[in-house]
């Protein structure tokens, strides 16, 4: 069975998985045979099943439904899913500012129901204040104009509404290494404001903020880079997209969906979280360091 393409958008992946399942369960046709019946190339059809980019028309899906013996009502649902693929997202107007492939992560982030985040280095984007983010951006994007910097901040603040909105906010468990509390981004005032912001967010019922202290050493026996576990909401039929692990690095990003990889990162996060301070102690530490940074 071909592997899922982790860089495809969720609706596209859902569509590809659904079509593949229908072909395998309803018929004895191979990909090549379906492609021939559609008068497509084999590569075009295989890309569709893998959830990779490519334009597909409603009438194509109607014909595909007949070939794969899919009931009309399920074909209608398939067409609706395909239309979601073409929908513009709220961040399309920021596409010129989004680094290659990060839009994939942003779509997943928007459609997640719960997230586990581990950052050993700095405050993650969903939790950054505008000044903290601007300080980082000014170094990472030194050639940006003031207008571009402002738009980057606007983009980040809009992203953050998924954890602060009143209706169905995403549940987030964050573990932040203590080093991030003491690594200056901007200046002392910026850091103090950022740490107080983290502490305040940690009081929300859908957000847990915990600090992995220096004294915990290396809970996994080695240094581990930043990663995010994304669990997705269930649809009305109780189905949900498979969990995705997002691993970010300076040179590129990885999206892991294999059962073994997901299990390994789940266990890693549980171990790190167990070694971290509890939520109340973490909040007290954040405010204590904030007072020190602000000279109070």
């Amino acid at each position: 069975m071909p592997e899922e393409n982790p860089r495809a958008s969720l609706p596209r992946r859902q569509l590809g998985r659904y079509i593949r399942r229908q072909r395998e369960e309803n018929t004895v046709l191979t990909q090549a045979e379906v492609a021939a019946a559609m008068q497509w190339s084999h590569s075009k059809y295989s890309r569709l099943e893998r959830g990779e980019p490519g334009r597909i028309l409603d009438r194509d899906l109607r014909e595909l439904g007949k070939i794969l013996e899919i009931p009309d009502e399920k074909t209608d649902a398939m067409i609706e899913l395909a239309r979601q693929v073409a929908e513009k997202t709220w961040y399309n107007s920021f596409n010129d500012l989004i680094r290659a492939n990060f839009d994939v992560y942003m779509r997943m982030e928007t459609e997640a129901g719960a997230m586990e985040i581990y950052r050993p280095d700095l405050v993650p984007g969903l939790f950054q204040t505008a000044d903290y983010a601007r300080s980082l951006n000014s170094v990472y994007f030194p050639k940006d104009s003031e207008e571009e910097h402002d738009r980057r901040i606007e983009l980040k603040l809009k992203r953050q509404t998924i954890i602060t909105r009143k209706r169905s906010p995403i549940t987030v468990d964050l573990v932040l290494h203590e080093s991030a509390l003491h690594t200056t981004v901007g200046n002392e005032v910026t850091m103090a404001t950022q740490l107080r912001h983290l502490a305040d967010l940690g009081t929300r019922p859908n957000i847990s903020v915990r600090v992995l202290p220096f004294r915990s050493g290396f809970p996994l026996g080695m240094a581990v880079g930043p990663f995010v576990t994304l669990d997705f909401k269930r649809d009305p039929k109780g189905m949900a997209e498979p969990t995705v692990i997002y691993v970010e690095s300076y040179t590129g990003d990885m999206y892991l969906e294999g059962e073994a990889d997901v299990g390994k990162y789940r266990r890693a996060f549980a171990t790190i979280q167990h070694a971290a301070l509890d939520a109340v102690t973490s909040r007290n530490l954040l405010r204590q360091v904030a007072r020190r940074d602000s000279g109070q």
Side-chain angles (χ1 to χ4, degrees), residues 148-162:
E148 286 172 322
H149 281 303
D150 289 344
R151 290 179 64 221
R152 289 189 189 282
I153 299 303
E154 182 185 357
L155 169 62
K156 184 152 290 184
L157 296 180
K158 285 186 176 181
R159 277 180 60 202
Q160 294 175 358
T161 60
I162 64 172

Side-chain angles (χ1 to χ4, degrees), residues 17 141 168 219 248:
R17 185 181 293 111
F141 304 104
S168 301
E248 183 181 6

Side-chain angles (χ1 to χ4, degrees), residues 228-267:
V228 180
T229 302
L230 298 108
D231 290 305
F232 300 99
K233 306 167 191 172
R234 295 191 177 275
D235 63 24
K237 295 182 180 180
M239 302 295 291
E241 278 291 305
T243 297
V244 173
I245 306 296
Y246 171 68
V247 183
E248 183 181 6
S249 72
Y250 185 70
T251 56
D253 308 327
M254 290 193 303
Y255 298 86
L256 308 174
E257 292 184 279
E259 186 175 340
D261 289 328
V262 171
K264 186 173 184 177
Y265 275 94
R266 287 257 196 232
R267 292 189 294 273

Side-chain angles (χ1 to χ4, degrees), residues 270-286:
T271 300
I272 292 169
Q273 192 176 51
H274 181 74
L277 303 174
D278 62 53
V280 174
T281 306
S282 296
R283 195 153 54 240
N284 290 338
L285 177 60
L286 287 165

Side-chain angles (χ1 to χ4, degrees), residues 4-45:
E4 298 289 348
N5 173 15
R7 295 189 182 277
S9 70
L10 283 178
R12 195 183 300 278
R13 288 165 48 213
Q14 289 174 321
L15 178 63
R17 185 181 293 111
Y18 181 80
I19 290 172
R20 187 181 69 210
R21 187 169 63 244
Q22 294 300 314
R23 176 178 61 81
E24 294 173 343
E25 293 179 357
N26 295 355
T27 75
V28 293
L29 298 174
T30 65
Q31 285 188 346
E33 289 170 335
V34 175
M38 288 292 296
Q39 297 184 333
W40 288 353
S41 66
H42 184 193
S43 62
K44 177 177 179 178
Y45 179 75

Side-chain angles (χ1 to χ4, degrees), residues 13-296:
R13 288 165 48 213
Q14 289 174 321
L15 178 63
R17 185 181 293 111
Y18 181 80
I19 290 172
R20 187 181 69 210
R21 187 169 63 244
Q22 294 300 314
R23 176 178 61 81
E24 294 173 343
E25 293 179 357
N26 295 355
T27 75
V28 293
L29 298 174
T30 65
Q31 285 188 346
E33 289 170 335
V34 175
M38 288 292 296
Q39 297 184 333
W40 288 353
S41 66
H42 184 193
S43 62
K44 177 177 179 178
Y45 179 75
S46 63
R47 286 197 302 271
L48 176 62
E49 283 199 1
R50 290 197 301 269
E52 293 181 358
R55 187 179 179 215
I56 185 166
L57 303 175
D58 289 1
R59 63 173 178 268
D60 291 331
L61 289 174
R62 291 279 180 207
E63 184 61 27
L64 187 59
K66 294 176 183 176
I67 294 170
L68 299 181
E69 302 176 13
I70 302 173
D72 289 344
E73 65 274 11
K74 290 188 177 180
T75 298
D76 290 340
M78 192 166 66
I79 290 172
E80 180 59 33
L81 197 56
R83 289 173 179 171
Q84 289 180 35
V85 171
E87 285 181 0
K88 288 186 176 295
T89 57
W90 64 265
Y91 51 80
N92 279 124
S93 60
F94 297 92
N95 280 346
D96 58 315
L97 300 179
I98 299 172
R99 73 173 187 269
N101 296 318
F102 192 66
D103 61 320
V104 177
Y105 174 77
M106 288 180 60
R107 180 179 285 277
M108 289 184 177
E109 186 181 75
T110 299
E111 298 183 6
M115 301 168 66
E116 294 175 341
I117 304 174
Y118 172 59
R119 288 296 316 208
D121 44 10
L122 50 78
V123 176
L126 287 179
F127 292 79
Q128 292 176 7
T129 63
D131 286 342
Y132 187 97
R134 190 180 296 276
S135 296
L136 289 172
N137 288 347
S138 65
V139 177
Y140 195 76
F141 304 104
K143 296 182 180 180
D144 272 11
S145 66
E146 191 64 28
E147 180 185 359
E148 286 172 322
H149 281 303
D150 289 344
R151 290 179 64 221
R152 289 189 189 282
I153 299 303
E154 182 185 357
L155 169 62
K156 184 152 290 184
L157 296 180
K158 285 186 176 181
R159 277 180 60 202
Q160 294 175 358
T161 60
I162 64 172
I163 66 173
T164 59
R165 64 195 178 205
K166 292 183 179 180
R167 184 176 179 181
S168 301
I170 290 177
T171 299
V172 182
D173 290 315
L174 167 66
V175 176
L176 186 69
H177 196 277
E178 187 176 357
S179 60
L181 281 58
H182 302 283
T183 302
T184 302
V185 173
N187 55 37
E188 288 76 10
V189 174
T190 298
M191 287 302 301
T193 303
Q194 175 64 73
L195 297 181
R196 283 194 291 267
H197 180 63
L198 276 169
D200 291 344
L201 285 175
T203 64
R204 290 176 173 267
N206 62 306
I207 297 174
S208 169
V209 177
R210 298 175 64 175
V211 176
L212 181 66
F214 288 119
R215 66 172 181 266
S216 290
F218 296 97
L220 297 172
M222 63 181 296
V224 178
F227 66 90
V228 180
T229 302
L230 298 108
D231 290 305
F232 300 99
K233 306 167 191 172
R234 295 191 177 275
D235 63 24
K237 295 182 180 180
M239 302 295 291
E241 278 291 305
T243 297
V244 173
I245 306 296
Y246 171 68
V247 183
E248 183 181 6
S249 72
Y250 185 70
T251 56
D253 308 327
M254 290 193 303
Y255 298 86
L256 308 174
E257 292 184 279
E259 186 175 340
D261 289 328
V262 171
K264 186 173 184 177
Y265 275 94
R266 287 257 196 232
R267 292 189 294 273
F269 188 83
T271 300
I272 292 169
Q273 192 176 51
H274 181 74
L277 303 174
D278 62 53
V280 174
T281 306
S282 296
R283 195 153 54 240
N284 290 338
L285 177 60
L286 287 165
R287 289 177 173 152
Q288 175 188 333
V289 178
R291 286 195 296 272
R292 184 208 65 187
D293 286 347
S294 61
Q296 296 179 359

